[in-house]
Amino acid sequence: MVELNPLHYQNRRLETLVENRTLHTLNNAELNIFETHQKAAQVMLQFHEPVLASMIRGKKIMHLQNTPSFGFLPGESVILPSNELMCIDFPEASEQNPTQCLALAFNEAKLQQAVNLLNERGLKQNGKEWSMTDYNYHFTNDIAINQILQRLIFIFTENHPSKDIFADMLLQELIIRILQTESKSIYLKKSYTQPNNDRISFVLNFIRENITEDLTIELLSEKAYMSESNFYRTFKHETGSTPIDFIIEERLKLAESLLRDPKMSVKEAFMASGFNSFSYFCRIFKKKKNLSPTEFKEKSNQLKNRPMA
């Protein structure tokens, strides 16, 4: 999870209990830290540039144009086009549990540079160019995006003569990762509803349906009717992850689901989720979930057995 560093608290002034704003500016971006210390509803907020909003602490209810309302929780982000009007509720904010959220506004030209860089490396498989979303894209941060946001908070709040250079490089990486995350999300949705619509969606669906089988690049490239090198390059370019990484993600999702079943042992969950090595399964599970499979299962069972209030 992203956290605010001590420099933020040293320099911020608490002037209002609802969406108190601390602003840090650089040449091509501005970082806003918003903190709310009491319950509130229908707070309006708008930026004149594209913005990434990312929750740090607490809970918001977001009401956005042409998007169903949703709960906004730590570890989640939403990318918004310029001039998008946000209506925000704070149902749980208090002095003891303030809501904290960052809003990173991008310079349009810098944003387009990152998009152009992706297009220079290759168009999408359907021949379309990469472009920044013009609607509200809500997603859960992966490890890489969390690390970039954490680093940006530090750069914006430190006093370094080259901070603009550092921030520009990170902003470019952040934008590219968001674009690939969005692209992957679109393919995943299509893989459930229209798996035969394109090669990537078909392969994602094939992986899920054969998750316990020996899934090799050779086999997947054959299913996509592509050469191994072209398939691997296209998959990584459009989803931001390798085919093997995606297979591991899907096997971990399945294992997590199985471990929530009180009747399923850790060993049975391992065997049913397609992993070949128990030690590797335990290691990769702990790396992704910060809990071993056994600890995850115990915690899951405790939550299920907790009496209702």
Side-chain angles (χ1 to χ4, degrees):
M1 294 291 182
V2 176
E3 296 180 354
L4 297 177
N5 61 34
L7 285 173
H8 165 74
Y9 293 101
Q10 290 175 15
N11 299 320
R12 77 102 139 92
R13 295 171 58 187
L14 192 60
E15 298 176 339
T16 177
L17 294 178
V18 177
E19 288 294 70
N20 186 78
R21 181 191 188 199
T22 304
L23 174 64
H24 306 276
T25 59
L26 293 176
N27 288 338
N28 295 309
E30 67 174 32
L31 177 68
N32 302 267
I33 304 295
F34 291 98
E35 299 174 82
T36 295
H37 292 75
Q38 67 181 30
K39 293 181 180 180
Q42 296 186 330
V43 178
M44 311 303 288
L45 189 62
Q46 187 177 43
F47 291 87
H48 298 301
E49 294 180 316
V51 63
L52 173 75
S54 188
M55 282 296 290
I56 299 172
R57 181 178 177 184
K59 177 182 179 180
K60 293 182 179 182
I61 305 296
M62 300 287 282
H63 309 282
L64 306 175
Q65 298 176 25
N66 303 316
T67 303
S69 300
F70 60 89
F72 200 26
L73 301 171
E76 298 178 357
S77 294
V78 60
I79 186 91
L80 305 167
S82 56
N83 299 312
E84 171 80 15
L85 184 62
M86 294 175 264
C87 179
I88 310 169
D89 298 335
F90 302 85
E92 301 174 359
S94 66
E95 290 187 27
Q96 295 74 31
N97 184 35
T99 295
Q100 296 175 332
C101 180
L102 70 82
L104 182 66
F106 307 106
N107 176 283
E108 287 272 10
K110 203 67 184 175
L111 190 63
Q112 192 58 48
Q113 285 180 16
V115 174
N116 292 342
L117 182 61
L118 260 184
N119 281 315
E120 289 170 9
R121 297 195 62 184
L123 302 179
K124 294 187 175 183
Q125 59 162 337
N126 57 11
K128 292 183 178 180
E129 291 189 342
W130 292 87
S131 62
M132 202 63 197
T133 180
D134 59 358
Y135 60 91
N136 309 314
Y137 172 47
H138 175 215
F139 61 97
T140 299
N141 302 342
D142 61 17
I143 294 173
I145 289 177
N146 272 333
Q147 289 175 341
I148 294 171
L149 292 175
Q150 192 69 67
R151 179 67 177 152
L152 281 170
I153 290 173
F154 178 81
I155 290 171
F156 270 94
T157 54
E158 74 169 336
N159 185 23
H160 195 287
S162 300
K163 60 194 299 184
D164 273 294
I165 299 173
F166 301 152
D168 283 351
M169 291 188 292
L170 281 171
L171 285 169
Q172 186 175 81
E173 180 183 355
L174 178 64
I175 293 164
I176 290 173
R177 286 188 181 274
I178 291 171
L179 284 166
Q180 290 175 328
T181 299
E182 180 188 27
S183 176
K184 182 179 179 180
S185 174
I186 292 170
Y187 281 127
L188 278 169
K189 290 177 182 176
K190 286 168 64 178
S191 73
Y192 285 102
T193 58
Q194 299 173 299
N196 297 321
N197 197 51
D198 60 78
R199 299 170 196 258
I200 299 296
S201 298
F202 179 84
V203 169
L204 296 184
N205 184 62
F206 179 82
I207 289 172
R208 278 201 311 272
E209 291 185 345
N210 299 273
I211 196 64
T212 60
E213 303 299 321
D214 183 19
L215 298 171
T216 64
I217 299 298
E218 180 183 9
L219 173 62
L220 298 178
S221 61
E222 287 178 0
K223 295 296 179 181
Y225 292 95
M226 301 168 73
S227 69
E228 290 184 37
S229 59
N230 190 30
F231 167 72
Y232 186 91
R233 183 173 58 252
T234 300
F235 192 101
K236 190 174 182 179
H237 180 60
E238 297 213 28
T239 68
S241 63
T242 68
I244 300 303
D245 288 338
F246 178 78
I247 291 167
I248 292 171
E249 286 177 21
E250 289 301 303
R251 286 175 174 165
L252 285 172
K253 287 179 187 176
L254 177 58
E256 181 180 335
S257 174
L258 294 171
L259 287 170
R260 295 182 189 278
D261 183 351
K263 298 178 182 178
M264 181 76 68
S265 70
V266 172
K267 202 73 176 243
E268 288 171 332
F270 149 70
M271 295 177 66
S273 54
F275 287 95
N276 294 323
S277 165
F278 185 67
S279 60
Y280 175 76
F281 164 67
C282 293
R283 185 168 68 253
I284 197 71
F285 192 97
K286 186 166 187 177
K287 181 180 179 181
K288 296 289 185 180
K289 305 299 295 185
N290 293 320
L291 292 170
S292 71
T294 300
E295 291 168 338
F296 179 88
K297 183 170 183 60
E298 290 174 350
K299 185 175 181 180
S300 178
N301 289 341
Q302 288 172 2
L303 291 173
K304 282 186 177 180
N305 294 329
R306 181 179 296 174
M308 298 292 289

